[in-house]
Amino acid sequence: MQALSERNKKILCAIVQSYINYPDPVGSRAVTKRYSFGLSPATIRNIMADLEDLGFLTQPHTSSGRVPTDLGYRFYVDSLVAEESYHPNIEVLHDLYRKLETLKNDIDTLLSETTKNLSTLSHYLGIAMSPRPNMTTLRRINLLKLGTHKIAAVLFTDEGLLKNKIITMDSDFTQRDLNRIAGYLNSEFAGQTVDDIRLRIIREMSKEKTNCYRLISRAMRICQEAFTFPYSSLFVSGLSEVLELPDFADLKKIRELSRAIEEKHNIIKLLDRLSESEGVQIVIGSENSLDELKKLSVVVSPCKEGDLTIGVVGIIGPTRMNYSRAIYIVENTAKFITKMLAER
Amino acid sequence: MQALSERNKKILCAIVQSYINYPDPVGSRAVTKRYSFGLSPATIRNIMADLEDLGFLTQPHTSSGRVPTDLGYRFYVDSLVAEESYHPNIEVLHDLYRKLETLKNDIDTLLSETTKNLSTLSHYLGIAMSPRPNMTTLRRINLLKLGTHKIAAVLFTDEGLLKNKIITMDSDFTQRDLNRIAGYLNSEFAGQTVDDIRLRIIREMSKEKTNCYRLISRAMRICQEAFTFPYSSLFVSGLSEVLELPDFADLKKIRELSRAIEEKHNIIKLLDRLSESEGVQIVIGSENSLDELKKLSVVVSPCKEGDLTIGVVGIIGPTRMNYSRAIYIVENTAKFITKMLAER
DNA sequence: TTTAGCACTCTCAATGCTTAAGTGCTAATA
DNA sequence: TATTAGCACTTAAGCATTGAGAGTGCTAAA
């Protein structure tokens, strides 16, 4: 079992390419017809058998054409340089995203609309996520008295997130109290991540018994609630788009897909991990650690402004995905969103 | 063509009931077997033919059992009094909703979790919607300076909604300016609905040229943005639940369903309309004005606290729905949510 | 008015048959 | 030695046929 010859690499890529374009297993004759390697079907057959032995291809059943394995797709994606594949014109993308300009102050709506763009462009599921509030850097906190025992905490972060929480307290506060507390919190905590702040609060709280400053002890109690955010918002759209694909022609596949996207929790974790790196990340089928995604591929890119991750955008689709196109779309979407958010 | 005899009504209901329990068209023999009317299949056949003529039943094809039409379901639902049908124990519901107690200050998360409850309980799609900010009554507005030219407007409404918006202005403001403007706005607008306020602002703006008070003219410009909310949040979940139903066994139906739930816009409008009435509302198949919903049924109930609508919860499922159970679930869910929100 | 009986209709699952696509292997060829 | 032509073999998929089963409508009898 020797390594891949240059020629065989090309043939492997051609097979993958062909399968991506036409949803049928590709046979030896199809390869000779669609690509001109100057080889006869019989030779291609031999090579295909070799590629199968190496784990790049499989046969759905004896005597049908070959289909790429996840390893095959991986090889193809890794050797994708500048495919001649047809992409949506950059202008089209530009126009689509220009329409979202007005939303740049409302991250959630912006991201949710972005997923619609992603899915109409790619015909796969569009996904987008705002940064987890827990990982963001506090710029400013304001406390507003809403009613007896009720306080609104308004958090504003470096990433441009504006989050609010209603807190119900045992004791009552005047707005003046709250201003002083907020002032204290800002001086102490501004510039730290919400997570770090939470940690510090827990430490402070344990010291609290011995703490004679009422201000601080009260501030701590408020914070404990204010800095606890239950979720990061994940937006998904384009289900009806995906259901048109031949890859999701049977009920079982659809069930799997729907389960995958209902477990937002898991996808959030995945995206969190993927958004640590830079640029477009691609996870193909079984490479995925999540069971629900083992038959799907994920193409995502973080939107980064310097070191700050201000969002993640991407696509989920079948492993038989037009990767070249998907990468192009995700890459440029990330660029547009980043630019838009940077201009705020 | 005479009106329905009492006996025929009972038989119609029995047929609908049977079809709801078992997903196969019901034949004359099945009726005599499952319900004891003391009549032979032949008689039932005659009656069924009559019921078909009256538009309550149809046959998928000559020589199969009958299936209720939307009119048939409507008749059944209207004559549902206290069905003996088996409902989830009220305790189960109670337990499920008690788990959401901690979310009562965060309406969006509360509603989103509620849809999950609704769908696991009913096996249909769970839906929930918070009131449109536009229709809510302003209790209080606060303006916070975020940075140069950037203001956060925090709105708090009688319904307990807390909304914020980031506004970018041409000119800069000090926090003192903003406080004065907010004070003015509160004295002028508190107690009015956001929609009314918008109207008034437009009127004020046209007078503005002649208005020499800088305070007011500035306030108006801020408001114009602050009181424009793009959407009302609709939560939907339970797709994978629904895909298990025999009613959605074929691809076409699933596509229709997925298109229906991606048009959130339309559903929001529908729910808005339905939430004006009180108690559980039921819309069956073609009774629905939306094309996407013409093959589905909707069971919803507003959550009302006095005159204030603080949310809508409900279920979307096939017309072949266990209405009795659905009504029970929706009714009690609405009660729990209302109670929970009233206790805030 | 109800019922039994019967011919008729339609779906559905199973069967067998044919076709088309594609393979692997062997032997001939450059 | 690598490539190719040829051929037997495998499998899925489409198609018509068949029979069973469920259900109907109608007629005539109770």
Side-chain angles (χ1 to χ4, degrees):
Chain A
M1 198 172 287
Q2 76 266 32
L4 277 184
S5 72
E6 208 51 47
R7 189 186 67 179
N8 289 8
K9 285 181 190 173
K10 278 205 182 125
I11 290 174
L12 173 54
C13 285
I15 293 169
V16 178
Q17 183 77 63
S18 167
Y19 187 58
I20 286 173
N21 293 337
Y22 314 87
D24 309 300
V26 5
S28 52
R29 242 179 75 84
V31 176
T32 58
K33 280 225 157 176
R34 291 210 259 270
Y35 309 85
S36 37
F37 288 107
L39 293 171
S40 77
T43 315
I44 300 289
R45 271 206 289 287
N46 291 328
I47 296 169
M48 283 170 114
D50 292 348
L51 291 172
E52 178 160 8
D53 288 342
L54 291 169
F56 292 115
L57 301 175
T58 32
Q59 288 177 289
H61 53 85
T62 358
S63 99
S64 78
R66 256 80 171 198
V67 159
T69 59
D70 291 344
L71 201 66
Y73 284 120
R74 169 51 64 194
F75 184 89
Y76 168 79
V77 167
D78 285 345
S79 53
L80 260 186
V81 255
E83 266 308 318
E84 75 297 341
S85 180
Y86 117 96
H87 292 144
N89 193 303
I90 188 82
E91 275 307 314
V92 175
L93 274 161
H94 201 251
D95 285 356
L96 266 178
Y97 285 101
R98 203 146 41 193
K99 283 189 194 135
L100 305 186
E101 282 279 340
T102 51
L103 299 174
K104 63 185 173 191
N105 277 333
D106 180 355
I107 278 209
D108 282 1
T109 313
L110 174 65
L111 291 181
S112 138
E113 290 299 312
T114 299
T115 62
K116 289 183 195 163
N117 282 0
L118 284 165
S119 75
T120 47
L121 285 168
S122 69
H123 307 297
Y124 305 124
L125 288 182
I127 56 178
M129 192 175 82
S130 57
R132 266 198 302 155
N134 295 352
M135 301 305 287
T136 58
T137 317
L138 180 69
R139 181 181 292 180
R140 175 86 168 282
I141 182 170
N142 277 85
L143 300 175
L144 304 172
K145 183 176 167 67
L146 288 183
T148 17
H149 300 214
K150 252 202 228 162
I151 302 168
V154 182
L155 269 72
F156 186 60
T157 74
D158 279 350
E159 287 79 0
L161 284 186
L162 186 56
K163 288 270 169 190
N164 48 231
K165 263 205 97 160
I166 300 177
I167 303 167
T168 316
M169 296 295 285
D170 299 336
S171 50
D172 203 15
F173 295 86
T174 63
Q175 181 64 50
R176 187 175 299 253
D177 285 340
L178 294 178
N179 288 345
R180 279 177 59 219
I181 295 174
Y184 166 73
L185 292 175
N186 282 315
S187 66
E188 282 293 303
F189 294 139
Q192 301 182 36
T193 70
V194 170
D195 243 8
D196 288 346
I197 296 174
R198 276 244 303 295
L199 266 169
R200 262 192 68 191
I201 291 169
I202 293 170
R203 261 184 279 131
E204 297 281 341
M205 294 280 288
S206 62
K207 282 192 283 180
E208 193 210 336
K209 290 152 212 151
T210 60
N211 196 329
C212 47
Y213 296 109
R214 261 179 67 239
L215 174 73
I216 297 180
S217 90
R218 282 170 143 198
M220 289 304 123
R221 246 177 299 146
I222 291 176
C223 283
Q224 210 187 6
E225 291 240 18
F227 291 104
T228 306
F229 289 95
Y231 63 94
S232 167
S233 17
L234 174 70
F235 302 93
V236 181
S237 69
L239 185 64
S240 49
E241 206 68 64
V242 166
L243 292 181
E244 305 290 331
L245 299 177
D247 309 76
F248 296 94
D250 89 283
L251 198 53
K252 226 182 116 207
K253 295 264 178 66
I254 298 176
R255 288 211 185 117
E256 280 171 16
L257 181 70
S258 86
R259 257 191 296 270
I261 59 180
E262 292 214 324
E263 289 296 327
K264 294 202 171 182
H265 188 64
N266 283 333
I267 298 183
I268 288 173
K269 264 196 231 157
L270 171 71
L271 295 188
D272 252 348
R273 197 156 40 75
L274 290 177
S275 67
E276 282 167 17
S277 318
E278 262 176 64
V280 178
Q281 307 286 311
I282 301 164
V283 188
I284 299 170
S286 52
E287 293 173 5
N288 231 303
S289 51
L290 292 177
D291 278 351
E292 310 96 274
L293 293 179
K294 283 216 187 298
K295 287 177 181 170
L296 300 169
S297 283
V298 181
V299 177
V300 296
S301 168
C303 301
K304 287 205 174 182
E305 205 186 326
D307 271 351
L308 295 179
T309 298
I310 45 188
V312 189
V313 297
I315 281 169
I316 296 181
T319 49
R320 189 191 76 87
M321 176 188 280
N322 188 332
Y323 290 96
S324 151
R325 200 179 140 96
I327 293 167
Y328 178 86
I329 293 169
V330 170
E331 197 163 34
N332 282 292
T333 297
K335 267 187 207 153
F336 282 124
I337 300 296
T338 307
K339 209 173 116 217
M340 215 176 290
L341 293 179
E343 280 168 3
R344 280 180 307 192
Chain B
M1 199 171 284
Q2 77 267 29
L4 277 184
S5 73
E6 207 51 48
R7 190 186 65 179
N8 288 8
K9 285 181 188 170
K10 278 205 182 123
I11 290 173
L12 173 54
C13 285
I15 293 168
V16 179
Q17 183 78 61
S18 167
Y19 187 59
I20 286 172
N21 293 336
Y22 313 88
D24 309 300
V26 6
S28 53
R29 242 178 75 83
V31 176
T32 57
K33 279 225 159 177
R34 291 211 258 270
Y35 307 86
S36 36
F37 289 107
L39 294 172
S40 77
T43 314
I44 299 289
R45 271 205 290 286
N46 291 328
I47 297 169
M48 283 170 114
D50 291 348
L51 291 172
E52 179 162 7
D53 287 343
L54 291 168
F56 293 115
L57 301 175
T58 33
Q59 288 178 290
H61 54 84
T62 358
S63 99
S64 79
R66 256 80 170 198
V67 160
T69 60
D70 292 344
L71 201 67
Y73 285 120
R74 169 51 64 193
F75 185 90
Y76 168 81
V77 167
D78 286 344
S79 54
L80 260 186
V81 254
E83 265 309 316
E84 75 296 339
S85 180
Y86 118 96
H87 293 145
N89 192 305
I90 188 84
E91 275 307 314
V92 175
L93 273 161
H94 201 252
D95 285 355
L96 266 178
Y97 284 101
R98 203 146 41 191
K99 283 191 194 134
L100 305 185
E101 280 280 339
T102 50
L103 300 174
K104 62 186 173 190
N105 276 332
D106 180 357
I107 277 206
D108 281 1
T109 313
L110 174 65
L111 291 180
S112 138
E113 290 299 312
T114 299
T115 60
K116 289 184 195 162
N117 283 359
L118 283 166
S119 75
T120 47
L121 285 167
S122 68
H123 306 298
Y124 305 125
L125 288 181
I127 55 176
M129 192 176 83
S130 56
R132 265 198 302 154
N134 295 353
M135 301 305 287
T136 57
T137 317
L138 180 69
R139 182 181 292 180
R140 177 87 168 283
I141 183 171
N142 277 83
L143 300 175
L144 304 171
K145 184 175 164 66
L146 288 182
T148 16
H149 299 214
K150 252 201 224 162
I151 303 169
V154 182
L155 270 71
F156 187 60
T157 74
D158 279 349
E159 288 79 358
L161 284 185
L162 186 56
K163 289 270 170 191
N164 49 229
K165 263 205 97 161
I166 299 178
I167 302 168
T168 315
M169 295 295 284
D170 300 335
S171 50
D172 203 15
F173 295 86
T174 63
Q175 180 64 51
R176 188 175 298 254
D177 285 339
L178 294 177
N179 288 345
R180 278 177 60 220
I181 295 174
Y184 166 74
L185 292 174
N186 281 317
S187 66
E188 280 293 302
F189 294 138
Q192 301 181 34
T193 69
V194 170
D195 243 7
D196 287 345
I197 296 173
R198 277 243 303 294
L199 266 170
R200 261 191 70 190
I201 291 169
I202 293 170
R203 260 186 279 132
E204 297 282 340
M205 296 278 290
S206 62
K207 279 193 284 180
E208 194 208 335
K209 290 151 210 152
T210 60
N211 198 329
C212 47
Y213 295 110
R214 262 180 65 241
L215 175 73
I216 297 180
S217 89
R218 285 170 141 199
M220 289 304 124
R221 247 177 299 145
I222 291 176
C223 281
Q224 210 185 6
E225 291 240 18
F227 290 104
T228 306
F229 288 96
Y231 62 95
S232 167
S233 17
L234 174 70
F235 302 94
V236 180
S237 69
L239 185 65
S240 49
E241 205 69 64
V242 166
L243 292 181
E244 304 290 331
L245 299 178
D247 309 75
F248 296 96
D250 87 285
L251 198 54
K252 226 183 115 207
K253 294 265 178 65
I254 298 177
R255 287 210 185 117
E256 280 171 17
L257 180 71
S258 85
R259 257 191 296 270
I261 59 181
E262 291 212 325
E263 289 296 327
K264 294 201 172 183
H265 188 65
N266 283 333
I267 299 183
I268 287 172
K269 266 196 229 156
L270 171 71
L271 296 188
D272 252 347
R273 198 156 39 74
L274 289 178
S275 68
E276 282 167 17
S277 318
E278 262 177 63
V280 178
Q281 308 285 312
I282 301 164
V283 189
I284 300 171
S286 53
E287 293 174 3
N288 231 303
S289 51
L290 293 176
D291 278 350
E292 310 96 274
L293 293 179
K294 284 216 187 296
K295 286 176 182 171
L296 300 169
S297 284
V298 181
V299 177
V300 295
S301 168
C303 300
K304 287 205 175 182
E305 205 186 325
D307 271 351
L308 296 178
T309 298
I310 45 187
V312 190
V313 297
I315 282 170
I316 295 181
T319 50
R320 189 190 76 86
M321 176 188 279
N322 188 330
Y323 290 95
S324 151
R325 200 178 140 96
I327 293 168
Y328 177 87
I329 292 169
V330 170
E331 197 163 35
N332 282 292
T333 297
K335 267 188 207 154
F336 281 124
I337 299 297
T338 307
K339 208 174 116 216
M340 215 177 290
L341 293 178
E343 280 167 4
R344 283 180 305 191

